[in-house]
Amino acid sequence: MTIDKETIYKVADLARIAIEEKEVDSLMGDMNKILTFMEQLNELDTKGVAPLVYMNEEENVWREDIVKQEISVADGLKNAAKHNENFFMVPKIIEK
């Protein structure tokens, strides 16, 4: 498979990037090199090789998701610049 100008523009459009006409030739060369390398990888015999999902074999140790009160509401709000009895008060940032 080879990459042509039309494919370069389509990929750029999908990636939402703007490319200039003078960049197209170098991008075609680079993308064709990548595809050539990928074709070489497809020729390798990978029978008996386990798929690599993670770079190491460590697994996450999950804890139980138990709701508990770590600090009181008053302690949580004591350093807030503005607050009422239960909530932080922040400036409005979304306009309609």
Side-chain angles (χ1 to χ4, degrees):
M1 177 180 185
T2 57
I3 302 290
D4 57 356
K5 285 185 178 186
E6 182 179 312
T7 307
I8 294 289
Y9 286 118
K10 182 176 180 180
V11 170
D13 183 53
L14 291 172
R16 303 290 192 258
I17 57 174
I19 57 172
E20 296 181 17
E21 184 67 34
K22 61 184 177 184
E23 299 174 303
V24 173
D25 289 331
S26 89
L27 287 172
M28 280 186 352
D30 291 343
M31 290 181 78
N32 280 318
K33 285 180 188 176
I34 292 169
L35 286 179
T36 302
F37 180 70
M38 294 305 295
E39 288 170 357
Q40 290 175 357
L41 290 177
N42 286 335
E43 295 172 4
L44 293 175
D45 181 22
T46 57
K47 291 180 185 162
V49 178
L52 179 65
V53 178
Y54 300 106
M55 294 306 292
N56 57 23
E57 295 183 17
E58 294 180 17
E59 294 182 18
N60 286 333
V61 179
W62 301 101
R63 63 171 171 78
E64 283 294 317
D65 192 14
I66 301 170
V67 176
K68 54 186 174 180
Q69 187 70 26
E70 293 288 327
I71 62 173
S72 68
V73 174
D75 286 340
L77 293 172
K78 72 180 175 184
N79 290 326
K82 283 184 162 184
H83 62 85
N84 63 13
E85 303 81 39
N86 296 314
F87 301 104
F88 294 102
M89 298 177 75
V90 296
K92 183 177 180 179
I93 58 169
I94 300 176
E95 299 290 331
K96 285 188 177 185

